[in-house]
């Protein structure tokens, strides 16, 4: 604020009061300045003339009084009350104006008009209604002036005019005050709204910051590595875990592209990793990649961007070295156990067969029966071991299916050999048939297909007390062929169909103990069928029997397939 | 007439007995070897008609012996039956052996197969 501004402004609680006091100050300062000028002029004139005329003296003292009064009113305005000062000024003015002209002119002549000044001034310097008071005061003044001079009648029309002026001034004063009040209220309203908005924004910002801090904390602490690549493929965010997983310091990760980070990855794997970034919508499945000394599982997701064209990707690295190692070990163990279990079992079976076939001499009847039972039991044991090893392979994900040319009729022959004895022991009919429509040569894995048929047939025989078990191979349509095993057993309840193919499940475990087996047969069958890209269906009626149908893709031999 | 020769290479003595009895029942004479080393040495001599080879041998492996048999001209006419305990190594062998049998190999099964081979090139 300039010095003049500081001089004029009076601080006040009521803005209208402050405005009026400021205006009063302006008026007073103007009057004071005029007084000073007048004083200066007067002094100069007295200097110029050697004698001071009484007029000049009067003017001098008049200006001086003016200055003093102005100063006094200024002090009152500043320190005590603006209204009091203004009222004093207006009243003084009204009285002083009575002396500016002849009394006759004041009361009833050309100088009546001067009293308009205090009336209007009042509406500006004081609360607007006080202009009526001043109008009354001025009326009083001209009346007194008139009374002081005989023969002069105060001009009543002028008094009415004074009041009329007061009305106009009051209205305009009020209008101004109202307008100012409206503006102030509008300001307050806006102020409040701005505060509300600011508070809302601050809260939103705080929430965002808390969220960001939380995410930051999560990224800092998780064991998985997270890298965010921008749309140019450069890493711009990487959490601490990445340093350990990729064995690089942060300085060599930020700003690098995925190619630069894949130094220790084989070229084939690099191509696979790059392809993860190209899928635009759905998240592809995680990919296991050998990265330096570790095996890492990578998941890539595109960053959804607000603007089209602005994007990037988020890559999550998980250390699955342990899992990969376990998987490798499992495969090794399966291979080892495979050999260790099978060899002695093979020896037992082989040696028993040697005795059975009479290589070391003819056997007595009881000896023959005993050796038969030994062989039967070793075959059962062998089958259990094979199922367990298959299950282990399934879990390790290493079960493989061959594609060779085989003959369906030879397949049936191999099944017949193994299963007929079992059926005969229970006095069950065992029939095998092939449809004429089925081609003489197909492509598949005859060993596994035989395993499926033997599993299903032995199951059927196990659970059927009377009647028959029928195995049939059929052509379903131009793209599928089927293997069906139908029995006349007790049937399978619908409720059991849901879990019947689960590993280690049997319809009821007491039946299992009666019939033997550990419940792996059907689960392995289902798994084999799945790997062959086929399907297995069950239809059953309680009390009538069940039929398991395996549907397989029909593959004709091409010149390239290997003969079995 | 002289019986044709079958050479058995199997480190488990009981299984070796089973294999030997099986080929003998089919009409072969048999010689048994329990290590890859000794089998390899023997195979440098006169060729047998039939070779029954276990893949899982200590020292010199069954694979190595198979390679050897396929490379040696004097062993060109040998029928090789490979015995394997797990299918994964068996898959790789198609084409290198006359027959791949997955353990357990039954005495009866081997005898009948050997009978087939004894009928050939006579």
């Amino acid at each position: 604020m300039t010095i003049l501004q500081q001089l004029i402004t009076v601080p006040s609680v009521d803005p209208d009061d402050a405005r009026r006091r400021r205006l009063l100050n302006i008026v007073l300062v103007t009057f004071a300045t005029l007084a000073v000028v007048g004083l200066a002029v007067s002094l100069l004139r007295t200097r110029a003339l050697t004698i001071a005329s009484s007029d000049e003296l009067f003017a001098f003292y008049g200006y001086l009084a003016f200055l003093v009064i102005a100063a006094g009113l200024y002090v009152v305005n500043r320190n005590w009350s603006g209204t009091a000062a203004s009222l004093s000024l207006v009243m003084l003015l009204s009285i002083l104006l009575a002396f500016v002209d002849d009394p006759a002119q004041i009361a009833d002549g050309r100088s009546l008009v001067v009293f308009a000044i205090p009336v209007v001034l009042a509406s500006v310097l004081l609360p607007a209604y006080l202009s009526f008071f001043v109008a009354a005061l001025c009326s009083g003044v001209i009346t007194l002036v008139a009374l002081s001079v005989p023969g002069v009648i105060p001009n009543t029309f002028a008094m009415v005019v004074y009041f009329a002026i007061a009305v106009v001034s009051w209205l305009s004063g009020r209008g101004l005050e109202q307008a100012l009040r409206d503006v102030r209220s509008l300001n307050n309203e806006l102020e409040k709204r701005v505060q509300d908005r600011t508070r809302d924004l601050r809260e939103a910002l705080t929430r965002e910051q808390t969220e960001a801090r939380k995410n930051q904390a999560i990224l800092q602490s998780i064991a998985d590595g997270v890298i965010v690549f921008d749309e140019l493929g450069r890493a711009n965010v990487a959490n601490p875990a990445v340093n350990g997983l990729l064995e690089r310091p942060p300085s060599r990760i930020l700003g690098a592209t995925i190619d630069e980070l894949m130094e220790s990855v084989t070229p084939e794997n690099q191509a696979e990793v790059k392809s993860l970034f190209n899928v635009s919508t759905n998240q592809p499945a995680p990919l296991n990649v050998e990265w330096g000394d570790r095996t890492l599982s990578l998941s890539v997701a595109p960053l959804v961007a607000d603007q089209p064209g602005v994007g990037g990707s988020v890559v999550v690295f998980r250390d699955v070295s342990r899992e990969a190692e376990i998987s490798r070990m499992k495969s090794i163990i399966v291979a080892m156990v495979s050999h260790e279990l099978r060899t002695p079992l093979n020896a037992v079976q082989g040696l028993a067969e040697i005795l059975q076939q009479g290589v070391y001499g003819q056997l007595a009847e009881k000896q023959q029966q005993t050796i038969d039972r030994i062989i039967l039991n070793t075959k059962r044991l062998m089958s259990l071991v094979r199922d367990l090893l298959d299950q282990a392979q399934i879990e390790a994900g290493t079960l493989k299916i061959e594609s060779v040319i085989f003959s369906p009729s030879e397949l049936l022959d191999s099944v017949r050999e193994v299963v007929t004895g079992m059926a005969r022991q229970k006095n069950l009919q065992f029939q095998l048939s092939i449809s004429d429509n089925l081609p003489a040569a197909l492509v598949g894995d005859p060993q596994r297909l035989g395993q499926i048929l033997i599993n299903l047939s032995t199951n059927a025989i196990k659970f059927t007390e009377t009647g028959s078990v029928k195995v049939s191979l059929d052509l379903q349509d131009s793209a599928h062929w089927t293997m069906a095993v139908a029995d006349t057993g007790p049937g399978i309840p619908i409720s059991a169909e849901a879990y019947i193919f689960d590993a280690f499940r049997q319809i009821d475990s007491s039946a299992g103990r009666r019939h033997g087996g550990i419940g792996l047969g059907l689960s392995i069958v289902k798994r084999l069928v799945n790997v062959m890209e086929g399907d297995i269906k069950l239809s059953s009626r309680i009390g009538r029997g069940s039929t398991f149908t395996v549907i397989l893709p029909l593959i004709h031999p091409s010149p390239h397939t290997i003969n079995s | 007439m002289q019986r044709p020769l079958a050479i058995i290479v199997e480190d488990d003595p009981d299984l070796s007995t089973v294999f030997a009895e099986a080929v003998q029942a089919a009409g072969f004479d048999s010689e048994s070897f329990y290590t890859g080393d000794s089998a390899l040495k023997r195979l440098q001599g006169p060729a047998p008609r039939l070779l029954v080879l276990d893949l899982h041998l200590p020292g010199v492996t069954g694979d190595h012996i198979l390679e050897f048999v396929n490379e040696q001209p004097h062993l060109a006419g040998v029928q090789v039956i490979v015995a394997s305990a797990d299918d994964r190594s068996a898959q790789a062998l198609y084409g290198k052996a006359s027959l791949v049998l997955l353990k357990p190999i039954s005495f009866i099964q081997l005898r009948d197969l050997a009978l087939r081979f004894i009928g050939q090139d006579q």
Side-chain angles (χ1 to χ4, degrees), chain A residues 175-189:
Chain A
L176 178 67
E177 274 165 24
Q178 185 65 38
L180 286 173
R181 239 190 307 266
D182 285 345
V183 167
R184 261 181 249 131
S185 130
L186 207 67
N187 263 0
N188 285 346
E189 178 77 34

Side-chain angles (χ1 to χ4, degrees), chain A residues 331 335 338-339 342-343 346-347 349-351 353-354 356-357 359-360 382 393 398 400 402 447-448 562, chain B residues 10 12 14-15 17-19 21 25 54 56 85-88 91 94 102-108 111:
Chain A
S331 305
S338 214
H339 179 253
R342 282 181 157 142
T343 302
N346 197 170
Q349 190 180 325
L351 291 168
E353 281 177 339
I354 287 174
Q356 184 200 48
Q357 298 294 307
V359 175
Y360 297 149
M382 202 64 216
Q393 268 195 306
T398 54
K400 287 193 181 67
E402 284 193 53
Q447 193 226 339
R448 295 297 188 178
I562 317 162
Chain B
E10 165 62 63
D12 182 274
D14 293 322
L15 263 188
T17 307
V18 173
F19 294 164
E21 290 291 352
D54 176 24
H56 301 264
D86 67 274
D87 13 299
R88 269 163 323 129
Q91 278 168 27
Y94 281 116
L102 212 51
K103 286 186 188 172
I105 302 166
S106 100
F107 162 87
I108 297 168
R111 178 196 65 193

Side-chain angles (χ1 to χ4, degrees), chain B residues 91-114:
Chain B
Q91 278 168 27
L93 296 168
Y94 281 116
K96 297 194 194 154
S98 315
L99 202 58
V100 178
L101 291 178
L102 212 51
K103 286 186 188 172
I105 302 166
S106 100
F107 162 87
I108 297 168
Q109 185 186 20
L110 186 57
R111 178 196 65 193
D112 293 345
L113 283 168

